[in-house]
Amino acid sequence: MTANELLAQLRVNGAIPRHVAIIMDGNGRWARERMLPRPLGHRSGMKSVREVVEGALEAGVEYLSLFAFSQENWQRPPVEISALMSLLEEYIQREADELEGQGVRVRVLGDIDRLAPAARAAVDRVTAQTAHNSKLTLNLFISYGSRAELVRAARRIADEVQAGTLRPEQVDEAAFAERLYTADCPDPDLLIRTSGEQRISNFLLWQLAYTELLISPVLWPDFGRTNLYEAILDFQNRDRRFGRVPA
Ligand code: IPE
Ligand code: IPE
Ligand code: MG
């Protein structure tokens, strides 16, 4: 089926996932298969970002979360890190106006204090420029680790309890979730990981509790709108039970 046929089918089926999360993996392997340096794989992955943002807009997804750079990725060689940071700046520079015009609200989630000043400035700029939008929220997870996010939430709660502004019996699941980066987002309905790896790699450990998982063998630079729609179609055929018996 073509992308438009798939889109029509999705609409007939109804039940579009509100929140889709993607672990964008496989750029390095894509480059290696072509005997290219790894940064060219990352560069090629940028067009897949554009594809899934447009696909999400057309399908009516409300939140799109993209894992772009993990806390553990800081351990990669400095040349690869600086290539990724330059690409982040370039992506924001090139796409910010269009994203704004399309109704996309961009947010960057993670330990952004570790970003180089130029990358940090680009992040702050696009966040401010698109803050008023509401059609699609694009969460870019950069310098993000889920365990660090959970520890940060626990520490905030401890500080508030110590300051006397929060009582221990007020600490429930909702209070905890409110102190995560994703505070105002519903949990992801669907998580896609590209390039076939069957692991979470420290992404959204709390938020994925009842998310439907889909592992795609496609390498990220080859992933396009059609692949997104096929994933949503697969999601629409799942039976989400949340621990209950089927209706
Ligand atoms: C995903 O591609 C991008 C980042 C993690 C930054 P990889 O760079 O991990 O590609 P592979 O897994 O080596 O193929
Ligand atoms: C996960 O991919 C992080 C991102 C896609 C940003 P990795 O390539 O870093 O994960 P591992 O090392 O294969 O688990
Ligand atoms: Mg990888």
Side-chain angles (χ1 to χ4, degrees):
M1 277 201 268
T2 67
N4 285 339
E5 286 164 352
L6 281 163
L7 186 59
Q9 185 63 53
L10 296 183
R11 291 192 172 133
V12 169
N13 292 355
I16 300 294
R18 285 187 74 196
H19 186 175
V20 176
I22 307 182
I23 301 177
M24 310 184 290
D25 198 14
N27 296 348
R29 277 161 283 171
W30 185 93
R32 197 179 56 208
E33 279 178 2
R34 288 160 181 77
M35 313 239 272
L36 295 169
R38 293 177 57 88
L40 284 185
H42 298 311
R43 172 167 289 283
S44 185
M46 278 212 295
K47 67 172 178 347
S48 299
V49 173
R50 200 168 313 130
E51 285 261 327
V52 295
V53 169
E54 283 174 6
L57 279 165
E58 295 217 346
V61 170
E62 293 170 62
Y63 297 85
L64 180 65
S65 288
L66 301 179
F67 199 8
F69 190 83
S70 73
Q71 179 181 269
E72 291 76 22
N73 290 150
W74 286 114
Q75 295 165 59
R76 292 191 178 194
V79 282
E80 180 162 348
I81 294 174
S82 62
L84 282 162
M85 291 300 141
S86 313
L87 280 177
L88 171 66
E89 283 174 56
E90 192 183 318
Y91 173 76
I92 291 173
Q93 217 135 49
R94 260 210 285 173
E95 310 278 324
D97 290 346
E98 194 174 343
L99 290 166
E100 190 196 354
Q102 290 168 322
V104 180
R105 171 172 67 144
V106 183
R107 305 190 307 173
V108 178
L109 283 56
D111 183 8
I112 55 173
D113 290 340
R114 284 183 79 173
L115 299 183
R120 176 61 198 268
V123 161
D124 291 343
R125 203 167 54 239
V126 72
T127 305
Q129 187 183 343
T130 63
H132 61 280
N133 277 334
S134 58
K135 186 160 186 230
L136 171 70
T137 296
L138 174 62
N139 293 325
L140 298 176
F141 286 81
I142 292 167
S143 188
Y144 171 85
S146 182
R147 286 185 172 179
E149 177 188 37
L150 294 169
V151 169
R152 177 176 169 272
R155 189 174 298 153
R156 287 174 147 201
I157 286 171
D159 285 343
E160 290 171 47
V161 169
Q162 193 174 41
T165 53
L166 186 71
R167 281 177 287 113
E169 56 280 16
Q170 289 176 303
V171 181
D172 55 12
E173 291 183 15
F176 201 87
E178 270 167 33
R179 285 155 183 88
L180 300 174
Y181 291 122
T182 50
D184 55 356
C185 288
D187 287 340
D189 300 293
L190 171 65
L191 172 74
I192 301 168
R193 181 165 187 155
T194 59
S195 89
E197 304 297 350
Q198 302 182 56
R199 54 178 172 262
I200 299 292
S201 300
N202 201 14
F203 190 46
L204 300 177
L205 299 177
W206 169 282
Q207 297 88 339
L208 295 175
Y210 267 103
T211 299
E212 294 296 323
L213 309 180
L214 186 132
I215 311 284
S216 166
V218 176
L219 302 176
W220 179 249
D222 294 326
F223 197 90
R225 185 189 308 230
T226 310
N227 302 97
L228 176 70
Y229 293 161
E230 282 166 355
I232 295 176
L233 205 58
D234 189 315
F235 167 86
Q236 289 178 326
N237 291 316
R238 307 275 180 103
D239 180 17
R240 300 185 82 186
R241 290 201 283 271
F242 300 98
R244 296 186 276 259
V245 289

